[in-house]
Amino acid sequence: MMVDEVAVRESPAAAAAVALGRWSVLFYGVGHMLNDITAACWFTYLLVFMTDIGLSPRDAATVMLSGQIADGFTTIFAGELIDRFGHFKIWHAGGSILVAVSFSSVFGSCIPCLIFGSESASLQTIGYSFFAAVFNVGWAATQVSHMSMVNCITLNSTSRVVMTSCRNAFSMVANLSLYAIAFLVFHLSPSKTTSEIENQYRWIAYTSIFIGCCFVVIFHIGTGEPRLKEDFRGHTYQKISWTYWFKKVLYYQVALVYVFTRLITNVSQAFLAFYVINDLRMAQSSKASIPAMIYICSFIVSIALQVTGVSMQSYLVGEDVKGCAFVYGSLSFLDKVSCGFALWILESYQNTNVVALTACTPICSCYSISRYGFGLVPAVCALVAVVVTCTMKLEKPRLRPLKVPLLE
């Protein structure tokens, strides 16, 4: 036995700094699959689904905004409670149950309309907004608990980056799985009536939930409850006040980069289906095939943006693990609320251009919000994110050279 191995076994601190094994990273990485596959459906198809069943663009955007606001506030409370009481896996399991139960109601018949026997636009908006809010409450609890686990599972900076990368790799799997499911449904089950449209999206939702829940089970079987909330002398870390983070310039810089990188993905994803159907006049199955092709072609850039944003959060937290959930929660709050309002504003303007869109053809270009949402907004966000990143001053002592393999 080598001396280094003996030292690791005798020192818990040294053991926590050792790179994680492949299976530990893999089990952690699949824990966000349910969130990822439902989020892909949420951003790609929610607005399209709502307008297809008869809601106005503004009402459809209101449904999404209600969910985003519920998500944003839940991240704050969940982050604070996780910092205070821990129990990451309980939060993750509870959130996953809420997601699984409520998601099919977001993409389905209006339950309050069935109860009250009315199909009014106001009741539909309220009904769908309620389940959208419930879905996002569960989604946020799962996201915050899963993301904040990174800094509490290991102190090894290399392993933290690998875990984040693995999580993003399975995010790609989730997105492509969603588009494959949607392509089969749109291609094999064409729809003409509102009932048929609801059945289409219900099948997409049910299948996505089943696949995501399988990976949630794998995550909970293979991943233990993080123990780094306690230091290696048996004492718990001191609670870090939220004001501590607001005094750090790096917190605001990371927040801006994270928000803009998320806006790039979410805004373009939300308007892609509109652009394909309304502007390009393509077949319904193109709502799945085109997003899938674009996602594959832009995979490297997309993952680089996501890893950069999330890894910056991990760097910001460092070894201050007692406040990690608040950091992830507060930044996610900014992400969700800003995205919700951005989409609501853009979609509200789309309501005034319905007549103009009828004259649009792939050859004859015309004004449409989907063109701006799919092209201009992400480009501006990317430029701002790059500028902010260039202004960051990272402390060199925190950047440790790679002395061990990425995975052992």
Side-chain angles (χ1 to χ4, degrees):
M1 183 180 296
M2 298 177 63
V3 177
D4 290 344
E5 295 179 354
V6 175
V8 166
R9 290 188 177 183
E10 293 180 351
S11 172
V18 173
L20 294 178
R22 291 181 177 87
W23 287 108
S24 297
V25 173
L26 180 65
F27 286 136
Y28 170 82
V30 302
H32 211 254
M33 274 285 291
L34 177 60
N35 267 26
D36 286 331
I37 197 169
T38 53
C41 187
W42 169 266
F43 283 109
T44 306
Y45 298 123
L46 180 68
L47 295 177
V48 176
F49 169 68
M50 292 295 163
T51 53
D52 282 350
I53 63 174
L55 289 183
S56 68
R58 184 183 291 272
D59 288 340
T62 299
V63 174
M64 174 167 280
L65 179 61
S66 66
Q68 294 297 109
I69 292 177
D71 190 341
F73 279 104
T74 302
T75 56
I76 294 294
F77 291 111
E80 178 64 24
L81 292 175
I82 290 173
D83 276 341
R84 188 181 298 271
F85 302 109
H87 303 295
F88 294 87
K89 292 184 66 177
I90 293 178
W91 281 93
H92 188 281
S96 298
I97 292 173
L98 279 181
V99 168
V101 171
S102 63
F103 190 65
S104 59
S105 297
V106 175
F107 289 91
S109 300
C110 174
I111 294 179
C113 297
L114 298 176
I115 295 175
F116 294 102
S118 173
E119 295 292 336
S120 68
S122 298
L123 187 58
Q124 283 185 311
T125 303
I126 294 173
Y128 283 115
S129 295
F130 172 77
F131 286 105
V134 174
F135 162 67
N136 278 276
V137 167
W139 200 96
T142 304
Q143 182 201 37
V144 174
S145 59
H146 190 260
M147 292 179 67
S148 56
M149 285 176 73
V150 173
N151 290 67
C152 297
I153 289 177
T154 179
L155 294 176
N156 186 281
S157 58
T158 301
S159 290
R160 290 177 176 179
V161 174
V162 174
M163 292 170 70
T164 301
S165 300
C166 183
R167 175 182 179 274
N168 282 282
F170 278 100
S171 177
M172 178 187 182
V173 174
N175 277 266
L176 294 180
S177 298
L178 182 276
Y179 295 137
I181 295 168
F183 178 81
L184 291 175
V185 171
F186 292 140
H187 184 71
L188 300 177
S189 178
S191 61
K192 296 181 180 179
T193 65
T194 300
S195 178
E196 290 174 340
I197 292 174
E198 291 174 350
N199 286 332
Q200 277 187 330
Y201 286 95
R202 189 179 293 114
W203 274 109
I204 295 174
Y206 286 157
T207 309
S208 301
I209 291 169
F210 175 76
I211 294 174
C213 286
C214 290
F215 284 99
V216 169
V217 172
I218 295 173
F219 164 78
H220 279 275
I221 292 176
T223 305
E225 181 69 26
R227 298 299 181 187
L228 292 184
K229 284 285 182 179
E230 297 183 357
D231 67 20
F232 302 108
R233 292 170 297 181
H235 302 94
T236 59
Y237 286 108
Q238 292 296 320
K239 179 76 171 64
I240 298 177
S241 172
W242 54 270
T243 57
Y244 166 79
W245 301 107
F246 292 157
K247 297 176 182 178
K248 298 172 70 72
V249 175
L250 185 61
Y251 174 85
Y252 298 98
Q253 293 173 317
V254 171
L256 287 173
V257 173
Y258 181 71
V259 167
F260 282 116
T261 54
R262 296 303 300 161
L263 282 174
I264 293 170
T265 302
N266 294 338
V267 173
S268 60
Q269 192 173 10
F271 283 99
L272 178 56
F274 283 114
Y275 179 69
V276 168
I277 299 301
N278 295 338
D279 293 76
L280 301 184
R281 299 289 196 271
M282 300 181 73
Q284 291 295 314
S285 59
S286 299
K287 291 188 293 187
S289 59
I290 298 300
M293 287 187 287
I294 291 179
Y295 187 85
I296 293 173
C297 294
S298 62
F299 171 71
I300 296 178
V301 175
S302 177
I303 293 300
L305 287 173
Q306 294 183 42
V307 172
T308 298
V310 177
S311 297
M312 282 182 177
Q313 295 180 60
S314 181
Y315 178 87
L316 172 64
V317 172
E319 297 182 5
D320 299 325
V321 297
K322 195 60 177 177
C324 60
F326 173 80
V327 171
Y328 289 114
S330 60
L331 296 187
S332 183
F333 169 81
L334 296 174
D335 160 34
K336 305 306 178 184
V337 173
S338 62
C339 178
F341 277 106
L343 291 174
W344 187 83
I345 293 171
L346 290 170
E347 187 69 359
S348 295
Y349 278 102
Q350 184 152 300
N351 190 38
T352 63
N353 293 281
V354 176
V355 176
L357 282 174
T358 59
C360 293
T361 66
I363 300 177
C364 181
S365 178
C366 63
Y367 169 85
S368 73
I369 288 298
S370 58
R371 293 174 185 265
Y372 285 94
F374 182 60
L376 181 61
V377 174
V380 172
C381 290
L383 178 61
V384 175
V386 170
V387 173
V388 174
T389 302
C390 293
T391 64
M392 289 184 177
K393 296 182 179 180
L394 302 179
E395 301 174 10
K396 292 184 179 180
R398 300 182 73 172
L399 300 176
R400 301 173 182 174
L402 181 63
K403 296 182 180 180
V404 295
L406 290 179
L407 294 174
E408 293 186 343

